[in-house]
């Protein structure tokens, strides 16, 4: 009696051999929309001196949502730490702390985070920035340490600013009371509403600020200019944790 032949065990990566490789023409389109970037203004390099922010992210944030607020704040004298998940430092030996940035479906650039979330002390910051991207918030919203970081920021009444898909982490933190005013990208609006947030009557509103919660939200990368300007205005309503201008 013969034993039937069996295929050798294989991993899921081998499945890719069954399919057509990406044509070069399609590959070049995976970067998606070329969003307008607000011009850099270095005329006020000490405007935000002393203010310190944590920009929290993991793999998959949209490149402009990462770069524009980071550059805007640093150009004006603020300190910004890029804070990521612990495992990006602890279980990524090929590139500890490196975070992949994307442009829609294209993932071809990265950046080194400054700290893992376990090493970031919330009392060192005036505010936190929660950016979007399709992949980034999905991983952040299931990370207990990241959710706790948002909760503690809210408890201390730090400024919290979030854009595009970023409010998914705010939803999962379950710390914002019903009626909190906020906006987000169109496909997350129903989730935001179901979580008790109050959406603006104008779905095209570039920025929404809830004074009671010290929460800034914007819908997508088209509104990065207004998003950054609102952060600058609202953070200066309180004294910075760091040394300000003499």
């Amino acid at each position: 009696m013969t034993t039937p032949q069996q295929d050798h065990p294989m991993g899921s990566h081998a499945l890719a051999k069954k399919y057509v490789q990406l044509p070069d023409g399609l590959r070049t389109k995976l970067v998606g929309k070329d969003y307008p970037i607000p011009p850099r203004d270095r005329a006020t390099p000490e405007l935000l001196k002393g203010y310190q922010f944590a920009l929290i992210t993991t793999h998959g944030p949209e490149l402009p949502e990462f770069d524009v607020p980071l550059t805007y704040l640093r150009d004006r004298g603020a300190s910004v730490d890029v804070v990521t998940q612990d495992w990006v430092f602890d279980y990524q030996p090929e590139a500890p702390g490196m975070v992949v940035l994307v442009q829609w479906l294209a993932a071809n650039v990265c950046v080194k985070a400054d700290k893992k979330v376990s090493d970031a002390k919330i009392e060192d910051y005036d505010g936190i920035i929660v950016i979007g991207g399709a992949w980034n918030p999905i991983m952040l919203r299931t990370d207990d340490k990241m959710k706790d970081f948002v909760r503690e920021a809210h408890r201390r009444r730090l400024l919290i600013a979030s854009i595009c898909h970023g409010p998914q982490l705010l939803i999962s933190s379950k710390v914002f009371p019903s009626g909190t005013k906020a906006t987000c990208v169109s496909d997350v609006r129903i989730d935001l509403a179901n979580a008790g947030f109050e959406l603006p009557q104008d779905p095209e509103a570039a920025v929404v600020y809830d004074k009671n919660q010290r929460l800034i939200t914007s819908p997508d990368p088209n509104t990065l200019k207004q998003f950054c300007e609102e952060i600058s205005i609202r953070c200066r309503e309180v004294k910075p944790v760091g040394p300000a201008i003499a």
Side-chain angles (χ1 to χ4, degrees), residues 6 15 41 81 87 112 122 182 193:
Q6 294 183 344
L15 298 175
D41 177 8
D81 286 335
W87 72 265
K112 179 72 177 285
I122 197 68

Side-chain angles (χ1 to χ4, degrees), residues 36-38 64-65 68-69 163 220-229:
I37 300 300
E65 294 177 33
V68 174
I163 189 168
D220 57 56
N222 290 302
T223 59
L224 279 165
K225 181 177 184 294
Q226 297 94 324
F227 179 67
C228 292
E229 290 172 346

Side-chain angles (χ1 to χ4, degrees), residues 154-186:
H154 180 268
R155 188 185 72 82
R156 291 173 176 265
R157 287 196 54 78
L158 269 62
L159 185 68
I160 299 175
S162 187
I163 189 168
C164 202
H165 289 83
Q168 290 178 94
L169 176 57
L170 308 185
I171 293 171
S172 295
S173 73
K174 296 182 179 180
V175 74
F176 293 91
S178 180
T180 297
K181 297 178 175 63
T183 190
C184 60
V185 68
S186 59

Side-chain angles (χ1 to χ4, degrees), residues 17-58:
K17 297 177 181 178
K18 297 169 57 179
Y19 299 94
V20 177
Q21 295 297 301
L22 279 174
D24 289 340
L26 175 57
R27 190 184 303 275
T28 60
K29 293 185 177 180
L30 296 183
V31 294
K33 182 178 179 180
D34 189 17
Y35 291 101
I37 300 300
R40 294 182 68 175
D41 177 8
R42 299 181 179 88
T44 54
E46 294 193 330
L47 179 66
L48 301 179
K49 183 178 179 181
Y51 289 95
Q52 300 176 183
F53 294 88
L55 191 159
I56 59 177
T57 188
T58 189

Side-chain angles (χ1 to χ4, degrees), residues 201-215:
Q201 291 186 344
D202 179 8
E204 303 300 321
V207 65
V208 170
Y209 179 59
D210 189 306
K211 182 178 180 180
N212 292 331
Q213 304 302 316
R214 297 202 72 212
L215 175 65

